[in-house]
Amino acid sequence: MFKKISKKLGLLDWVIAGPYLILAFFGTVMVYSASAGMKMQNGVNPRAYFIKQLFYVLAGLICFIIFSSFSRQFLRSPRFLGIFFLILFVMLVYVRLRGQEINGARGWLHIGPINIQPAEMCKLFLILYLSNRFAHLAERGMDLHFKEQWGAILIVAVLLVLIIIQPDIGGFAINSAIVIVIIVASGMPVYVIVAFLGISVFLIGFGIPLLSHLAVNMIHGYQAARFLAYLDPFQNSRGIGSQLVNSYYAISNGGLHGVGLGNSIQKMGFLPEPNTDFIMSILAEEFGFLGVLAVLALLAMIILRTVRLGVQSQSMYETLTCYGTATFITVETLFNVGGVTGILPITGVTFPFISYGGSSMIILCASLGLVENIAIRRHQQRQHSGQEEW
């Protein structure tokens, strides 16, 4: 038995698995640090979020192992993908019509004590579905032009529309980024790639500030408040800009080395959502710039290794799966860091593996399991061919 376990562990790509495990379990420590103080002030068990997050991490680890063990035939089977889409579609429709409204959005499905965020599940589905779709066409020598893609376009469009009308701007942006990267990497015609890249550059460089100004005048409530806070947080420092202003204070307090684990001031009622959206502000305050840099370095290891696997793979399915997963983690990281530093509007996007949350953790782990599945397959092929592994 121990020999089998040892053999399985030996097949793992530890450049991916090692940083992932460190980040996930370090995240539980940060969730406890960020939430315990306020829980005690409110007379609630200070370990409540810690226990839940530990459960999510363990559930995520199980998903990581399961998805790293699935056969490619099962993951690419029309029945599996069809059932996945049907469940996801029903969930997205239900949460829009009957879901509980939180911070101006209806994005959560409550099943007893479990809260499910379908927009998170959509990220995994799009990686699986689009990777399989384009790989299937390429394997059969079929055209990748738009005229052959209307079915896929319709499925993607329906899902993205259901996400944006919640409204979930962050979820929509990340899912859209996954779609764009997979399309670009699939070998679409040059004019299509140029069009997508041009639109992306425009949105990043000019579109976000412009849309922020338009949003303040066109939408109302919580979503508009986030854009207004992004435009001028200090003018609204006692109201809607307080989140970002207190995030600045936390980052400033941390300096280079931080004030020490558990010693954050901003988490004690000054900074809302310190264990979710703004957990990186607390991390910056307690561990300083060097602590943030260490976390980002671990994420970079995962992302770069994932991209490398995609580049080296001879299978389009594996390549697109790796690129989609790397995009998922990269964009989610950029949106969270951009939000807590004021570079981007606050969109409610969590920080990968560190922020509190079950749906995010489990889907991240499942997606990473797909990459580990590819890495294990490559490791076995290299062992058989006698080549050395990086």
Side-chain angles (χ1 to χ4, degrees):
M1 177 180 176
F2 290 108
K3 287 184 178 180
K4 289 183 178 180
I5 294 174
S6 178
K7 186 176 180 180
K8 289 280 186 181
L9 292 175
L11 291 175
L12 286 176
D13 188 325
W14 286 101
V15 180
I16 293 174
Y20 149 61
L21 291 172
I22 293 171
L23 287 169
F25 285 99
F26 175 68
T28 62
V29 175
M30 284 308 306
V31 166
Y32 178 67
S33 176
S35 63
M38 288 303 298
K39 286 290 185 181
M40 291 179 66
Q41 287 184 2
N42 297 328
V44 183
N45 181 3
R47 292 184 293 275
Y49 279 139
F50 169 76
I51 294 171
K52 288 182 180 180
Q53 184 69 4
L54 185 58
F55 171 78
Y56 296 147
V57 168
L58 294 177
L61 181 58
I62 292 172
C63 287
F64 174 80
I65 294 171
I66 290 173
F67 274 81
S68 66
S69 304
F70 272 140
S71 68
R72 186 183 302 182
Q73 290 75 17
F74 173 78
L75 292 172
R76 297 188 64 178
S77 67
R79 176 176 295 183
F80 168 70
L81 293 172
I83 293 173
F84 196 166
F85 171 75
L86 182 60
I87 293 172
L88 185 56
F89 175 77
V90 171
M91 283 184 170
L92 285 169
V93 171
Y94 181 84
V95 296
R96 182 63 189 93
L97 298 176
R98 302 292 298 275
Q100 180 182 352
E101 186 172 319
I102 301 175
N103 293 338
R106 296 178 181 272
W108 287 264
L109 177 64
H110 301 280
I111 304 176
I114 302 174
N115 296 331
I116 299 174
Q117 196 170 3
E120 291 291 332
M121 296 175 60
C122 188
K123 300 167 187 175
L124 177 61
F125 172 78
L126 288 174
I127 292 171
L128 287 168
Y129 173 70
L130 292 177
S131 298
N132 178 65
R133 172 73 180 181
F134 290 123
H136 178 71
L137 293 176
E139 288 162 2
R140 298 181 62 182
M142 297 178 66
D143 198 349
L144 289 176
H145 288 275
F146 271 141
K147 63 183 180 180
E148 303 292 339
Q149 306 300 330
W150 289 113
I153 291 171
L154 180 61
I155 287 175
V156 170
V158 166
L159 294 177
L160 292 181
V161 167
L162 288 172
I163 292 172
I164 195 62
I165 64 175
Q166 292 180 5
D168 183 354
I169 297 173
F172 173 80
I174 296 172
N175 279 286
S176 297
I178 291 171
V179 172
I180 291 172
V181 168
I182 290 179
I183 287 175
V184 169
S186 67
M188 279 283 189
V190 174
Y191 72 89
V192 177
I193 296 176
V194 171
F196 272 117
L197 290 178
I199 292 171
S200 300
V201 170
F202 173 79
L203 288 177
I204 293 171
F206 304 100
I208 290 176
L210 176 62
L211 289 174
S212 298
H213 284 283
L214 292 175
V216 171
N217 297 317
M218 295 175 61
I219 62 178
H220 305 282
Y222 194 80
Q223 298 293 329
R226 283 178 163 177
F227 283 104
L228 190 58
Y230 159 69
L231 293 172
D232 194 349
F234 286 97
Q235 185 177 346
N236 305 279
S237 61
R238 295 184 181 274
I240 56 178
S242 62
Q243 282 183 311
L244 190 51
V245 170
N246 282 291
S247 177
Y248 289 154
Y249 290 154
I251 295 170
S252 177
N253 290 342
L256 185 63
H257 301 287
V259 297
L261 179 63
N263 295 327
S264 167
I265 298 172
Q266 297 304 313
K267 69 185 180 184
M268 302 303 293
F270 298 100
L271 187 60
E273 311 293 346
N275 58 316
T276 55
D277 301 359
F278 284 90
I279 198 165
M280 286 305 289
S281 302
I282 305 303
L283 191 151
E285 187 176 10
E286 296 188 347
F287 289 92
F289 174 75
L290 294 179
V292 173
L293 196 62
V295 168
L296 292 176
L298 289 172
L299 270 178
M301 287 178 64
I302 295 173
I303 294 167
L304 292 175
R305 179 58 170 169
T306 300
V307 171
R308 182 182 176 89
L309 286 170
V311 170
Q312 291 180 335
S313 178
Q314 301 300 313
S315 162
M316 177 178 283
Y317 176 76
E318 292 183 353
T319 296
L320 297 182
T321 298
C322 289
Y323 289 173
T325 303
T327 302
F328 172 14
I329 299 173
T330 301
V331 177
E332 188 161 296
T333 301
L334 293 176
F335 267 66
N336 182 271
V337 173
V340 302
T341 57
I343 298 174
L344 298 173
I346 299 167
T347 53
V349 172
T350 56
F351 191 90
F353 304 112
I354 303 295
S355 293
Y356 172 80
S359 295
S360 175
M361 177 65 70
I362 289 171
I363 297 303
L364 274 166
C365 294
S367 300
L368 210 57
L370 294 175
V371 178
E372 190 67 55
N373 190 317
I374 294 168
I376 290 173
R377 186 186 302 274
R378 281 180 52 78
H379 192 177
Q380 291 173 329
Q381 291 173 346
R382 293 215 174 219
Q383 282 185 335
H384 292 153
S385 63
Q387 297 178 11
E388 292 185 3
E389 180 76 24
W390 172 65

